[in-house]
Amino acid sequence: MLHNDIDGALRARARLVVPGGMWGHQNAAGLPDGYPQFFASAEGCRIRDVDGRGYVDFMCSWGPVILGHRHPEVEAVAQAQAALGDCQNGPGAVMVELAEAMVATVAHADWVQFSKNGTDATTACVTIARAGTGRRKLLVARGSYHGAVPWCSPSLAGVTAEDRAHILQFDYNDIASLDEAADRAGADLAGILVAAFRHDIARDQELPTPEFAARARAICDAADAALLLDDVRAGFRLHPGGSWEPLGVRPDLSAWSKSIANGHALAAVTGGDRFREAATKVYSTGSFWTAAVPMAAALATLRVLARDDGVGHMRRMGQRFRDGMAALSDRHGVGIRQTGPVQMPLVLFENDADFRLGNAFCLAALDAGAYFHPRHNMFLSTAHGPADIDAALGAAEAGFAAVARLI
Ligand SMILES: *Cc1c(COP(=O)(O)O)cnc(C)c1O
């Protein structure tokens, strides 16, 4: 397909003034050549790249956009706050309103502290757990993503052994390995950090088993350690009260970000009373952490999600997508695996260790107007309606046809 190459020109300029031309997941998370890097505009579940091509968006800014891009009610509230002030000497009244709303929504929460990025929140959870227990060891699942600073970054470049000195690993959903890691931590166990579900890149997703979740809770209870839930990615897409509510297991501390302000920069730690004093003592702050606009946006986001049963809608649309994909894969004789919650879909192809098929599928679907990801979980929003799902399935049909030609 012929198109302008504004994207290519921007990449070339970026390579001169930005290391590698781009950082982090945009660079390393395995989008095939041919995907745009730069975007011009977005509305609802539709996005447009700088070369003017439009797509049904299945990444939602890699999670933050949960009500659709530029949701009118959220943006009206954000603009009204912006007209009054955003980055001031202290927070606006909206901080207290939002904290009250989060404590009312999140089942385990007695308090909340705000910051900017998910990494701020996961790091604060770890620090608060250590401050509250007076211990050092943290159990983390092998391969789980918790952020991009030395204690948890997936890259070891610039990371010292000391940065990871008190991190012990276990395998997600593997009780024996969790027990073994807890034994190694012994009396120095500060906490167990778990993702809401196993959403490691480039492998099938796994929901936590009830036994695994209960075991993590029981170990923390027996050791008087903290159970830390990383709800940064799944938060508010699975359950309004926290992603482990359906399991009946409540964490002591949870990390939130991505979706909570529908694309505005905000993160939060929620905690129970046991860690309130520790959270008070830990020095947590950042230059932009009191900004009022993202908090106003978050308050509106929570209100709309609850009013419109956002989780239920995303689940229905996710199921429609999953069923449609299953029918298409059958029709084309192409084996796929669809795993994880339907509203956070991941589609992997059988016999595709090198992602040759997944990449071909995504590139053909991209050309046909859907922005999918070959190996990272995708995200639905409440802006995805039946017609949008069906349009995406139409593009997926082109993807399956391309894969069928390769196998
Ligand atoms: C994105 C993510 C983080 C880090 O959040 P940032 O806002 O990128 O710092 C942490 N944990 C999980 C599970 C995430 O998906």
Side-chain angles (χ1 to χ4, degrees):
M1 191 172 103
L2 275 179
H3 54 85
N4 300 329
D5 197 13
I6 296 171
D7 192 83
L10 287 169
R11 283 175 194 253
R13 285 167 58 194
R15 274 193 292 276
L16 299 178
V17 289
V18 175
M22 194 58 225
W23 52 81
H25 62 292
Q26 310 265 336
N27 219 357
L31 281 169
D33 286 346
Y35 264 63
Q37 179 169 306
F38 294 95
F39 292 86
S41 62
E43 181 159 19
C45 68
R46 304 283 173 152
I47 52 175
R48 192 164 290 283
D49 69 22
V50 288
D51 287 302
R53 296 180 296 178
Y55 313 98
V56 183
D57 182 14
F58 268 61
M59 286 308 283
C60 292
S61 181
W62 303 67
V65 171
I66 192 168
L67 300 176
H69 296 275
R70 300 195 300 119
H71 187 273
E73 283 176 78
V74 175
E75 291 316 299
V77 168
Q79 280 165 26
Q81 180 61 55
L84 297 172
D86 180 24
C87 194
Q88 307 176 89
N89 286 359
V94 69
M95 183 194 87
V96 181
E97 293 166 34
L98 177 60
E100 287 168 349
M102 285 212 45
V103 166
T105 300
V106 176
H108 82 99
D110 296 314
W111 54 263
V112 52
Q113 242 179 22
F114 297 107
S115 48
K116 285 289 115 181
N117 282 288
T119 308
D120 298 336
T122 54
T123 303
C125 283
V126 173
T127 310
I128 293 167
R130 285 176 171 153
T133 59
R135 309 200 200 124
R136 297 177 295 178
K137 303 294 184 201
L138 179 73
L139 312 190
V140 179
R142 214 167 267 112
S144 279
Y145 184 69
H146 296 296
V149 283
W151 72 265
C152 58
S153 164
S155 159
L156 291 177
V159 173
T160 67
E162 288 80 3
D163 290 319
R164 302 277 170 105
H166 299 294
I167 308 274
L168 302 176
Q169 293 190 317
F170 62 92
D171 292 314
Y172 200 98
N173 265 345
D174 181 336
I175 289 177
S177 81
L178 182 62
D179 283 344
E180 187 269 330
D183 284 347
R184 271 189 288 145
D188 203 13
L189 179 65
I192 301 176
L193 173 62
V194 280
F197 64 95
R198 189 171 188 178
H199 44 46
D200 311 349
I201 192 157
R203 71 183 303 290
D204 292 324
Q205 305 195 97
E206 272 177 54
L207 294 172
T209 66
E211 297 75 23
F212 170 75
R215 185 69 192 153
R217 182 68 270 175
I219 291 171
C220 291
D221 288 342
D224 206 17
L227 180 60
L228 316 179
L229 183 65
D230 182 348
D231 226 343
V232 170
R233 189 177 309 181
F236 295 138
R237 275 195 169 82
L238 304 196
H239 192 286
S243 292
W244 276 25
E245 274 305 288
L247 294 165
V249 173
R250 292 197 174 151
D252 297 292
L253 298 162
S254 286
W256 305 81
S257 184
K258 296 212 162 83
S259 73
I260 65 174
N262 200 45
H264 291 265
L266 193 69
V269 174
T270 53
D273 276 331
R274 157 141 162 61
F275 286 90
R276 189 188 287 264
E277 193 189 332
T280 309
K281 283 184 185 156
V282 169
Y283 186 70
S284 294
T285 191
S287 297
F288 304 102
W289 288 15
T290 57
V293 167
M295 293 184 190
L299 194 57
T301 300
L302 289 186
R303 192 174 60 234
V304 173
L305 273 174
R307 184 194 68 201
D308 298 350
D309 180 26
V311 172
H313 177 86
M314 287 183 279
R315 206 179 275 139
R316 284 189 294 280
M317 292 306 110
Q319 192 63 52
R320 187 182 183 96
F321 180 67
R322 185 160 294 185
D323 293 346
M325 290 292 282
L328 286 173
S329 81
D330 275 355
R331 177 144 23 101
H332 288 269
V334 172
I336 58 170
R337 299 190 306 276
Q338 305 193 75
T339 53
V342 290
Q343 59 274 51
M344 294 172 67
L346 178 71
V347 181
L348 298 180
F349 287 79
E350 297 291 0
N351 305 313
D352 193 30
D354 58 1
F355 292 92
R356 188 175 72 103
L357 304 181
N359 288 346
F361 171 85
C362 284
L363 281 170
L366 186 81
D367 242 8
Y371 190 103
F372 295 138
H373 200 296
R375 60 177 89 188
H376 189 286
N377 75 269
M378 300 183 274
F379 299 87
L380 294 190
S381 74
T382 63
H384 289 80
D388 304 303
I389 298 297
D390 294 350
L393 289 169
E397 172 109 56
F400 278 111
V403 172
R405 286 193 290 275
L406 291 175
I407 59 177

